[in-house]
Amino acid sequence: MISMQKIFVMGIGLAVSGLFFGCARSYQGIPEVTSEMAEHYEVEEVTLARGRGIYMAHCSACHDRVEPGKIDPEYWRQITPHMAVNARLTDQEEKELLQYVMVAHAEVHGLE
C-alpha cells in the first residue's frame, strides 16, 4: 500500500516536472544566439545576445512572449518603437531588440 507521504512526494514531483517542461517548451520558438547566426546575418553576436536578453527580460513584463517567427518583420518594425517606450528602453536597447527579433524571425523561417 502506498502511504500518503509517498503520494504527496510523487504529486510534488509531477508538478515540478510539469513546470520545468512547460517552461522549456515556451522557449522553443525563441532562438538562442549563436556565432553562426550572427555571422550568417552579419550582425555582431554581442548585439544579438543583448537584444535577446532585452526581449526575454522586458517583453514578458506586460504580456506573454511572442515567438519572433510568428510576427511579420514589417510589423516588428512598426510595433517595436511603441513597445520600447512602454518598456522604457534606450534607443540603443530598442535597436538591439529589433535586430534580434528580425534575425530570429529569419532564422526560424530559414530566410536570408
Side-chain angles (χ1 to χ4, degrees):
M1 180 172 230
I2 298 176
S3 72
M4 289 301 289
Q5 184 178 14
K6 286 183 180 180
I7 292 173
F8 178 76
V9 170
M10 288 180 356
I12 295 294
L14 287 172
V16 170
S17 295
L19 288 173
F20 174 76
F21 288 113
C23 291
R25 279 194 300 274
S26 69
Y27 298 129
Q28 268 183 331
I30 306 170
E32 292 284 343
V33 174
T34 64
S35 55
E36 293 82 17
M37 176 195 293
E39 185 176 317
H40 181 81
Y41 294 101
E42 299 178 352
V43 179
E44 289 186 29
E45 186 175 354
V46 68
T47 299
L48 291 177
R50 282 194 302 253
R52 187 177 192 277
I54 293 163
Y55 177 84
M56 297 300 283
H58 291 277
C59 295
S60 65
C62 297
H63 52 76
D64 289 340
R65 289 185 188 107
V66 177
E67 296 174 10
K70 291 188 176 184
I71 302 288
D72 180 73
E74 191 54 42
Y75 189 66
W76 276 122
R77 286 185 191 96
Q78 292 173 12
I79 196 79
T80 300
H82 302 291
M83 296 294 117
V85 169
N86 292 343
R88 295 185 173 105
L89 300 181
T90 66
D91 290 343
Q92 182 64 33
E93 290 170 328
E94 178 186 342
K95 181 180 176 183
E96 292 166 347
L97 171 63
L98 184 59
Q99 285 182 307
Y100 170 74
V101 295
M102 298 299 281
V103 167
H105 177 87
E107 184 76 4
V108 166
H109 293 285
L111 305 173
E112 292 299 317

